[in-house]
Amino acid sequence: GASQDSGEGKQLTLTQLDDYNDEFVAGAKNQLATLTISRDSYSNALENRYSYLQHPPVFSHKLSIDPPITNQKSSGRCWIFACLNMLRLPMMQRYKLEELELSQPYLFFYDKLEKSNWFLENVLATLDEELDGRVVQFLLTDPINDGGQFDMIVALLEKYGVVPKEAYPETFHTSNSREMDALITSKLREFAKQLRQAHAAGADVEALRARKRGMLGEVHRVLAVSLGRPPEKITWAFRDKNKQFHEFRDVTPQDFYRTHVQVDCTRLVSLINDPRNAYMRKYTVQYLGNVAEAAGVRYVNLPIADMKEYAAAVIQSGRPVWFGCDVGKFRSNARGLLDPQVIDYRAAFDFGFDTTKADRLQYGESAMTHAMLLTGVHIEDGKPVRWRVENSWGDGSGNKGYLTLTDAWFSEFVYQVVLDRDDLPQHVVDVLDQEAVALPPWDPMGALAQ
């Protein structure tokens, strides 16, 4: 049988604390480390000079256009910004534009409304689950998170289209979403209680959906007041680089997407690198999505080397790549550099880290937190060494809005890239025909890019 726990070592004793203090005082460099670290951030004080000297922001292959950097401000809309930044590039080339920004607030409005419906439908799907069970409590945690997955923006684009930024610009609550999110979240939890109580009292699903219609009307009112009503038709007028005037009148957002954006986003495939699970398999995440009638979120799990190979080839062909990563790890804000060596924790604390990518996923240490665009790659001896990144934190961030991530950082902290089916070998495309393995709703592959 198992040995009995004697309880020895359970407490943090004062003697133990004295030993720690003695060890600290005896450490020759600890005083210097304290004087340095206590007055600045780790990323500044422990910045590894050799790391940034080794990886200058120079790339053998980069896109020919550098459009103005966008700024998501105090919101979690990076997944929308990165996608629309990707879609604007062929438009800028086709129409000979110096600058163009598509309206993230437009998709943000409909994402909030669709996520509210998605949440209430999940409430209806879990009426017989225990209220304090893990599934229902997870669904109640953050029902209209600003973040999203790539398949979710495809669902929005296919249903609602998109408009230029000037047709539906920012408001206070698109750029500072916390207050509006909190208000809608409070109402959604109240609605969840009402639906569960009505079900317990004998209401059938038709009656509950009739109540849901009124609930969504309240959410719509909050969005329309806070963000303004999205346009049903627009006029798009501009001058190109040659000073030629162009005007398109009475265009619906859906027509703008089909006629002017001209990218079939349904052909784009989300590739993930999840070393916990089998490669060359298709995955989904339970209860993850936004548009109820859409197909949901689908991933193809690939080794990281394959993901890099396919992404580098797309960049070399002159096109950007949407990707998702854990942007908070080993980042020098001052240098705009993401590299596992850029912050030297060992120099100050005498320790490193002994976890694999799979370990970090399993123990809650890492997941995808942010989406951006890959717009350049530096190839040496046929292999990528570093990657150029267009971010959406404004041009005062990083290197005038751009970041450099090293290939080593890509291996450890990039989780997803999105590529067209035509840019993938047939054996990878064929994985989409598999039955998807459903991961639980709290799985880190369900993390939303913000």
Side-chain angles (χ1 to χ4, degrees):
S3 59
Q4 290 290 100
D5 182 357
S6 67
E8 184 176 349
K10 182 178 181 180
Q11 299 176 20
L12 172 62
T13 66
L14 297 180
T15 302
Q16 196 176 341
L17 189 57
D18 286 340
D19 290 342
Y20 292 151
N21 281 322
D22 290 344
E23 289 172 15
F24 184 83
V25 171
K29 72 177 183 185
N30 286 335
Q31 180 65 12
L32 176 60
T34 302
L35 291 172
T36 305
I37 302 301
S38 61
R39 64 183 66 196
D40 207 344
S41 68
Y42 296 152
S43 62
N44 285 338
L46 301 178
E47 182 183 82
N48 182 348
R49 184 170 187 264
Y50 301 104
S51 174
Y52 68 78
L53 290 178
Q54 189 179 352
H55 298 288
V58 180
F59 304 88
S60 58
H61 302 84
K62 67 180 281 292
L63 303 193
S64 58
I65 300 179
D66 278 343
I69 290 292
T70 55
N71 193 342
Q72 67 188 81
K73 299 186 178 176
S74 298
S75 72
R77 298 174 291 162
C78 67
W79 57 297
I80 299 176
F81 272 75
C83 180
L84 296 186
N85 287 347
M86 175 182 73
L87 296 180
R88 69 177 171 170
L89 287 170
M91 290 182 68
M92 292 176 70
Q93 291 172 318
R94 189 181 318 118
Y95 290 109
K96 300 181 175 61
L97 298 173
E98 294 280 2
E99 56 184 55
L100 172 68
E101 191 168 352
L102 299 173
S103 176
Q104 309 89 5
Y106 176 82
L107 293 176
F108 189 62
F109 181 103
Y110 287 115
D111 181 58
K112 291 297 180 191
L113 193 57
E114 290 284 359
K115 275 182 181 154
S116 297
N117 181 59
W118 181 269
F119 168 74
L120 295 174
E121 281 297 312
N122 282 339
V123 170
L124 297 181
T126 56
L127 288 169
D128 295 320
E129 298 263 358
E130 290 291 331
L131 176 58
D132 60 355
R134 188 173 185 183
V135 170
V136 175
Q137 287 301 307
F138 177 83
L139 294 175
L140 290 167
T141 302
D142 196 2
I144 54 155
N145 189 311
D146 280 1
Q149 265 291 341
F150 190 83
D151 285 346
M152 293 161 66
I153 195 169
V154 175
L156 294 171
L157 287 164
E158 288 295 308
K159 184 170 181 176
Y160 296 105
V162 72
V163 297
K165 186 75 168 261
E166 58 267 25
Y168 192 69
E170 301 282 344
T171 71
F172 176 87
H173 292 284
T174 59
S175 300
N176 305 272
S177 57
R178 183 175 299 174
E179 195 175 27
M180 183 184 74
D181 287 352
L183 176 60
I184 296 174
T185 297
S186 294
K187 291 303 295 182
L188 289 176
R189 289 174 179 149
E190 179 184 305
F191 296 154
K193 183 201 76 165
Q194 292 170 359
L195 291 172
R196 289 180 66 90
Q197 288 181 341
H199 170 69
D204 62 18
V205 70
E206 288 78 13
L208 295 176
R209 283 218 169 96
R211 295 188 67 165
K212 185 191 78 166
R213 182 183 175 93
M215 294 168 176
L216 289 173
E218 292 192 22
V219 174
H220 181 273
R221 191 180 315 136
V222 172
L223 292 168
V225 167
S226 305
L227 311 183
R229 288 189 304 116
E232 295 176 10
K233 287 189 173 182
I234 65 159
T235 295
W236 185 38
F238 59 90
R239 287 191 182 275
D240 63 24
K241 292 180 183 177
N242 301 325
K243 310 301 182 189
Q244 295 295 310
F245 179 74
H246 303 266
E247 184 175 49
F248 301 92
R249 292 177 173 274
D250 295 325
V251 182
T252 68
Q254 293 87 346
D255 286 340
F256 185 85
Y257 173 56
R258 286 189 291 266
T259 305
H260 299 292
V261 176
Q262 292 184 15
V263 176
D264 183 0
C265 289
T266 64
R267 294 189 53 79
L268 299 173
V269 180
S270 286
L271 309 174
I272 57 168
N273 176 243
D274 177 5
R276 302 168 307 157
N277 289 308
Y279 293 130
M280 295 302 295
R281 293 295 303 273
K282 178 180 170 183
Y283 293 91
T284 188
V285 179
Q286 294 173 316
Y287 301 108
L288 179 62
N290 57 352
V291 176
E293 66 270 27
V297 172
R298 298 290 184 269
Y299 306 124
V300 175
N301 193 21
L302 291 183
I304 197 72
D306 294 355
M307 188 182 282
K308 291 177 184 177
E309 177 188 341
Y310 307 148
V314 170
I315 293 167
Q316 288 172 287
S317 76
R319 289 169 292 141
V321 174
W322 189 103
F323 79 106
C325 65
D326 189 355
V327 75
K329 295 289 192 288
F330 297 97
R331 184 181 82 233
S332 168
N333 292 324
R335 304 288 173 183
L337 178 64
L338 297 153
D339 178 44
Q341 307 302 320
V342 76
I343 303 174
D344 190 353
Y345 291 103
R346 189 176 296 279
F349 304 112
D350 289 327
F351 62 64
F353 298 94
D354 184 27
T355 52
T356 65
K357 194 173 192 176
D359 293 337
R360 291 189 290 272
L361 288 167
Q362 288 170 324
Y363 283 87
E365 171 57 18
S366 185
M368 188 184 75
T369 60
H370 191 53
M372 300 180 283
L373 275 190
L374 294 170
T375 63
V377 63
H378 187 67
I379 305 289
E380 290 183 4
D381 300 323
K383 294 189 176 182
V385 175
R386 58 183 173 268
W387 304 73
R388 184 178 190 251
V389 176
E390 179 187 333
N391 200 359
S392 55
W393 291 347
D395 58 12
S397 146
N399 181 15
K400 297 180 181 176
Y402 290 89
L403 299 172
T404 300
L405 65 86
T406 65
D407 197 62
W409 195 93
F410 192 122
S411 296
E412 298 299 327
F413 299 110
V414 170
Y415 290 103
Q416 182 176 3
V417 302
V418 172
L419 301 175
D420 192 284
R421 290 170 186 238
D422 291 342
D423 297 313
L424 297 170
Q426 190 59 43
H427 71 273
V428 174
V429 176
D430 288 344
V431 176
L432 293 168
D433 296 328
Q434 295 179 9
E435 187 74 23
V437 177
L439 301 172
W442 43 83
D443 190 272
M445 286 300 121
L448 300 179
Q450 301 180 58

